[in-house]
């Protein structure tokens, strides 16, 4: 019994570190540093708001997936319409994957970890060589998704934490001179807590956990926990490990940013602050340290995204290609985009993310409500329609070009959707859709209690892995897992 208990704790720790490692990329290093730098004396309140959404939402995404008895965003949204589930899943995975986030992991690693050591001049060839090496490593690991728990949970994440600790501990043991009462700078001068909430919300890490859900659930299955209750329990306990780790790291980075101003008076972003802080404590070896920190942070995220995208597309389109073939495709595409230039892609990816994000959060909430709502199609459809309409206003506002009528649409969004300017215009439509869906579902059940009851009971008894792929032969499912 003691051995089983010890094994369970070990599995919980490793899966928790895997969740942390998959979610924590280079952007997560930069955001809290800049918050601490600008918030000054208001860092505590701003940081608390940041933790609520930058840590809370992603962990809730993991728990929601497991609680709903699903293993992916596709399964969670298949309770609306199958075509919609395919469209939304492809949109999210392509945007947060090979079309945007995966190539950016390589370019960020190059800019921070490699470029400072190169002579001035064209960077086309050095970038090409670096991205080929970077994505070859990511490809070789992602090619064996069954080993992700070992690579990310047992190796890369601990290595990343050790490297980061070398920098962060120095700032705690021998803090940089600073004014603890320094006044906050914009945008933290008023309501710093709310601004911190918005900062955490805008990291969009909730999208990452929904994308990674498919490999997180598979990792839980690997340690022998396969029933819905076991998966949900393991996801919750491992999620707590990831939550604690994320919170500690974020707090340390905020402290670093808050104390950095006198030592680093000029910095455009948190990445510059980190680089200059490492240089301050360790001299030129500090440049190697910060490069290694960013490289490991980006590599583990790239591995996870390539593996997750490949698993998801192989599951949705089992007759098209195998998981390994998708890994090859996404690795090549990511390499090409990283070298072709990301500026134009980022410009158009942001509106797509602004459209997907409200739908992703509403999916997380519905997943958490599964014990009470089940997989009632009526409720899911009402919520999806209401939130999709409101998210369209966010998409239009974020477009890089002024389309005909765009100003009218954004003005209408500002007038009709509370919180629209802050990015929360979807919240009221979500509540309205949820209430309308529950009322419509109950009315339908009252008209035909046998049909309604059977529908809900069937959803509760349903195999969580079978619902969205009920048209796929079992042999094909096994071939892609």
């Amino acid at each position: 019994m003691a051995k089983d208990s010890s094994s369970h704790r070990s599995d919980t720790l490793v899966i928790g570190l895997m969740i942390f490692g998959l979610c924590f990329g280079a952007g997560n290093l930069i955001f809290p540093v800049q918050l601490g730098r600008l918030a000054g004396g208001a860092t505590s309140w701003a940081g608390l708001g940041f933790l609520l959404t930058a840590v809370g939402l992603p962990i809730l995404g993991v728990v929601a997936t497991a609680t709903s008895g699903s293993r992916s965003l596709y399964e969670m949204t298949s309770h609306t319409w199958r075509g919609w589930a395919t469209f939304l899943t492809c949109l999210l995975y392509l945007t947060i994957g090979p079309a945007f986030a995966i190539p950016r992991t390589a370019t960020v690693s190059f800019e921070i970890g490699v470029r400072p050591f190169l002579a001035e001049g064209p960077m086309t060839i050095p970038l090409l060589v670096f991205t080929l090496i970077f994505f070859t490593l990511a490809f070789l690991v992602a090619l064996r998704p069954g080993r992700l728990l070992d690579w990310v949970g047992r190796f890369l994440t601990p290595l990343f934490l050790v490297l980061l600790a070398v920098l962060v501990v120095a700032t705690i043991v021998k803090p940089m001179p600073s004014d603890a009462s320094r006044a906050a700078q914009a945008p933290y001068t008023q309501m710093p807590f709310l601004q911190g909430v918005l900062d955490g919300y805008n990291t969009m890490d909730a999208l990452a956990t929904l994308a990674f859900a498919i490999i997180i659930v598979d990792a839980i299955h690997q340690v022998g926990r396969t029933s819905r209750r076991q998966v949900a329990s393991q996801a919750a306990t491992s999620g707590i490990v990831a939550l604690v780790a994320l919170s500690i790291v974020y707090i340390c980075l905020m402290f670093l940013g808050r104390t950095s101003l006198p030592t680093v008076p000029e910095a455009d972003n948190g990445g510059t602050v980190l680089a200059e802080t490492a240089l301050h404590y360790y001299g030129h070896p500090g440049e190697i340290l910060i490069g290694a920190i960013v490289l490991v942070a980006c590599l583990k995220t790239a591995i996870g995204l390539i593996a997750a995208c490949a698993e998801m597309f192989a599951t949705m389109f089992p007759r098209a290609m195998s998981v390994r073939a998708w890994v090859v495709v996404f690795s090549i595409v990511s390499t090409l985009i990283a070298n072709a230039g990301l500026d134009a892609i980022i410009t158009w990816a942001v509106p797509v993310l602004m459209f997907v994000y409200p739908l992703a959060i509403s999916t997380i909430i519905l997943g958490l409500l599964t014990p009470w709502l089940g997989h009632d199609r009526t409720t899911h459809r009402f919520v999806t329609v209401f939130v999709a309409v409101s998210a369209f206003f966010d998409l239009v506002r974020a477009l890089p070009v002024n389309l005909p009528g765009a100003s009218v649409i954004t003005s209408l969004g500002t007038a009709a959707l509370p919180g629209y300017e802050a990015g929360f215009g979807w919240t009221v439509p979500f509540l309205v859709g949820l209430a309308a869906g529950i009322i419509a579902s109950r009315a339908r059940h009252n008209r035909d209690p046998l049909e309604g009851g059977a529908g809900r009971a069937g959803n509760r008894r349903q195999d969580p892995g079978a619902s969205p792929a009920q048209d796929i032969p079992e042999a094909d499912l096994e071939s892609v897992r």
Side-chain angles (χ1 to χ4, degrees):
M1 183 64 67
K3 182 178 178 180
D4 291 341
S5 176
S6 175
S7 175
H8 179 71
R9 286 194 296 269
S10 175
D11 293 338
T12 298
L13 176 62
V14 173
I15 294 173
L17 289 177
M18 176 184 173
I19 295 171
F20 169 90
L22 291 172
C23 296
F24 200 99
N28 304 83
L29 279 168
I30 295 170
F31 294 135
V33 171
Q34 192 71 350
L35 182 151
R37 185 176 176 85
L38 296 178
T43 299
S44 296
W45 282 108
L48 179 59
F50 181 85
L51 293 177
L52 283 177
T53 46
V55 178
L57 273 178
I59 299 307
L60 286 178
V62 176
V63 176
T65 305
T67 302
S68 67
S70 306
R71 63 188 289 266
S72 67
L73 173 68
Y74 178 57
E75 293 190 8
M76 294 176 74
T77 54
S78 66
H79 307 297
T80 53
W81 299 275
R82 188 62 55 80
W84 168 257
T86 301
F87 168 76
L88 181 62
T89 303
C90 288
L91 198 62
L92 183 145
Y93 274 85
L94 290 176
T95 307
I96 203 172
F100 173 51
I102 298 176
R104 192 177 63 171
T105 60
T107 56
V108 169
S109 299
F110 177 79
E111 289 294 330
I112 298 178
V114 176
R115 187 165 186 169
F117 300 98
L118 301 178
E120 292 295 328
M123 291 294 151
T124 304
I125 300 302
L127 177 62
L128 175 61
V129 173
F130 175 81
T131 52
L132 286 173
I133 296 172
F134 181 91
F135 283 117
T136 297
L137 291 174
F139 161 77
L140 292 174
V141 178
L143 203 58
R144 302 180 66 184
R147 297 296 304 276
L148 284 181
L149 188 60
D150 293 326
W151 274 101
V152 178
R154 290 189 169 93
F155 177 63
L156 288 176
T157 298
L159 174 61
F160 167 77
L161 290 174
V162 169
L163 291 171
L164 185 62
V166 173
L167 176 61
V168 170
V169 170
T171 68
I172 297 173
V173 173
K174 190 180 179 182
M176 291 176 281
S178 64
D179 181 6
S181 60
R182 176 173 55 85
Q185 301 178 40
Y188 301 97
T189 51
Q190 296 181 348
M191 296 187 291
F193 175 79
L194 179 59
Q195 183 59 45
V197 169
L198 293 174
D199 288 344
Y201 174 80
N202 289 331
T203 63
M204 297 193 176
D205 283 342
L207 295 181
T209 52
L210 285 179
F212 290 133
I214 190 167
I215 55 179
I216 293 171
V217 173
D218 283 352
I220 294 174
H221 289 168
Q222 286 178 34
V223 298
R225 293 164 183 84
T226 55
S227 71
R228 177 182 296 192
R229 179 174 295 180
Q230 289 175 330
V231 171
S233 175
Q234 185 65 71
T237 53
S238 295
I240 292 173
V241 172
L243 183 148
V244 172
L246 285 166
S247 298
I248 292 174
V249 171
Y250 279 141
I251 290 170
C252 291
L253 290 172
M254 290 175 202
F255 176 80
L256 184 155
R258 181 177 177 178
T259 58
S260 68
L261 196 59
T263 304
V264 189
E266 300 292 334
D268 295 331
N269 54 61
T272 303
V273 175
L274 285 170
E276 292 296 324
T277 301
L279 187 65
H280 168 76
Y281 282 102
Y282 298 106
H284 290 296
E287 294 179 317
I288 300 175
L289 173 63
I290 194 64
I293 291 172
V294 173
L295 176 61
V296 176
C298 289
L299 181 61
K300 58 186 176 54
T301 301
I303 291 169
L305 285 172
I306 291 173
C309 290
E311 286 263 351
M312 190 69 262
F313 275 75
T315 300
M316 289 192 299
F317 310 110
R319 293 179 176 84
M321 289 191 291
S322 66
V323 172
R324 291 189 167 219
W326 282 112
V327 168
V328 173
V329 169
F330 290 140
S331 298
I332 293 174
V333 171
S334 298
T335 304
L336 293 175
I337 292 177
N339 285 274
L342 280 172
D343 291 344
I345 293 173
I346 290 174
T347 300
W348 286 99
V350 170
V352 176
L353 290 171
M354 294 303 295
F355 175 75
V356 172
Y357 202 38
L359 291 160
I361 296 177
S362 64
T363 299
I364 290 173
I365 298 173
L366 288 174
L368 294 171
L369 294 176
T370 299
W372 296 275
L373 297 179
H375 297 311
D376 179 70
R377 289 185 179 273
T378 303
T379 304
H380 279 254
R381 287 175 175 177
F382 265 89
V383 169
T384 297
V385 170
F386 275 76
V387 174
V389 171
S390 65
F392 174 75
F393 287 89
D394 291 317
L395 184 152
V396 172
R397 185 180 59 172
L399 285 173
V401 295
N402 291 322
L403 297 179
S407 59
V408 176
I409 294 174
T410 54
S411 297
L412 180 61
T414 302
L417 299 173
Y420 173 70
E421 292 294 334
F424 290 101
W426 60 273
T427 53
V428 171
F430 170 82
L431 294 173
V432 173
L434 181 63
I438 292 173
I439 292 171
S441 178
R442 290 185 177 180
R444 180 182 179 186
H445 172 62
N446 290 335
R447 287 197 305 269
D448 193 346
L450 291 178
E451 179 183 348
R456 285 196 301 275
N459 280 327
R460 291 193 182 99
R461 290 192 301 266
Q462 200 169 25
D463 178 2
S467 174
Q470 59 188 7
D471 298 328
I472 302 174
E474 186 63 29
D476 288 334
L477 279 176
E478 290 301 322
S479 69
V480 300
R481 289 181 180 172

